[in-house]
Amino acid sequence: DADVTQTPRNRITKTGKRIMLECSQTKGHDRMYWYRQDPGLGLRLIYYSFDVKDINKGEISDGYSVSRQAQAKFSLSLESAIPNQTALYFCATSDLSQGRAFFGPGTRLTVL
Amino acid sequence: QKEVEQNSGPLSVPEGAIASLNCTYSDRVSQSFFWYRQYSGKSPELIMSIYSNGDKEDGRFTAQLNKASQYVSLLIRDSQPSDSATYLCAVQGNEKLTFGTGTRLTIIP
């Protein structure tokens, strides 16, 4: 079984719709991250969380919100999707001791 | 100035040669450094981590860190076609993990 899972894997939606991307992990890590990847722009950090009560904005948090429902679950929401949020979204977890990040398989989101 | 900078490439290297990938970072308090490999459409995969100055070798891969120059590099010896991918440099500071934009590497048979 995969250590970091993301659902859905692909999603096509329309402008203005609310979308939730979910991430679950079985690695037991406290730290979880949401990144988006666009061609030529690399991985950009949206939000990160060090535990259930600690949520932090990344470099591109506008238009997104997150919820850390449990140590193992971290969800990303787009309250009102817009076309420039079309991207590949990755969830990641990392261990506190060495900081190594492990990624989920990604969610390809298309906003029409 | 970007926090983590990489040459986007593409970098083309003949099969069997050494591929050299470079990365610079701006935050002097950075503590941990990583190289990830990403195949097209797939998620990044950790291939090397380095935490102190000097070289760290793992099979055909060698990571080099110079904190004074704020520079980290990855050498791939005996390059294989399967090494063709985008290589992402990542830097861990006090809190967040920041990635460079990646270098696209192509190994030419």
Side-chain angles (χ1 to χ4, degrees):
Chain A
D1 288 342
D3 295 318
V4 185
T5 58
Q6 292 182 234
T7 55
R9 294 292 311 279
N10 291 281
R11 182 72 183 268
I12 299 173
T13 191
K14 294 181 179 180
T15 298
K17 294 292 187 180
R18 184 178 188 275
I19 298 297
M20 179 179 284
L21 309 183
E22 298 187 339
C23 177
S24 295
Q25 54 117 345
T26 58
K27 298 189 77 67
H29 293 162
D30 288 323
R31 299 185 174 193
M32 298 188 74
Y33 305 81
W34 275 105
Y35 292 90
R36 67 175 279 176
Q37 188 171 40
D38 301 273
L41 296 178
L43 286 163
R44 293 184 292 166
L45 183 61
I46 306 172
Y47 272 94
Y48 59 105
S49 169
F50 287 173
D51 64 40
V52 175
K53 298 181 180 180
D54 181 69
I55 304 289
N56 304 279
K57 292 183 177 180
E59 59 181 298
I60 55 163
S61 59
D62 287 349
Y64 301 95
S65 62
V66 291
S67 173
R68 185 81 183 266
Q69 301 94 325
Q71 188 212 29
K73 295 184 181 295
F74 193 36
S75 299
L76 176 72
S77 293
L78 289 67
E79 297 301 326
S80 179
I82 56 177
N84 75 1
Q85 290 177 315
T86 293
L88 186 55
Y89 290 83
F90 287 106
C91 173
T93 74
S94 71
D95 54 4
L96 179 62
S97 61
Q98 296 188 323
R100 298 169 302 175
F102 299 88
F103 285 81
T107 294
R108 187 168 296 280
L109 176 67
T110 303
V111 183
L112 302 176
Chain B
Q1 180 188 8
K2 293 182 180 178
E3 293 184 49
V4 181
E5 296 205 47
Q6 295 180 254
N7 187 325
S8 63
L11 176 65
S12 296
V13 173
E15 183 176 356
I18 296 175
S20 177
L21 305 165
N22 304 315
C23 173
T24 58
Y25 60 95
S26 60
D27 188 352
R28 286 193 169 274
V29 300
S30 299
Q31 301 161 346
S32 306
F33 307 85
F34 309 95
W35 283 99
Y36 287 80
R37 178 176 62 200
Q38 186 178 25
Y39 294 113
S40 181
K42 303 297 185 181
S43 58
E45 171 193 16
L46 179 67
I47 55 172
M48 288 291 288
S49 56
I50 187 166
Y51 305 99
S52 56
N53 281 329
D55 295 359
K56 178 181 178 182
E57 186 175 320
D58 184 359
R60 295 186 296 112
F61 299 99
T62 299
Q64 300 174 317
L65 174 62
N66 184 326
K67 290 187 177 181
S69 299
Q70 296 175 244
Y71 176 91
V72 59
S73 65
L74 178 70
L75 300 177
I76 306 175
R77 291 181 299 281
D78 189 23
S79 296
Q80 303 295 309
S82 59
D83 295 327
S84 296
T86 295
Y87 289 80
L88 300 166
C89 172
V91 175
Q92 175 86 48
N94 287 331
E95 293 191 344
K96 58 185 180 179
L97 182 64
T98 303
F99 285 81
T101 54
T103 298
R104 187 154 54 94
L105 174 66
T106 300
I107 306 302
I108 304 169

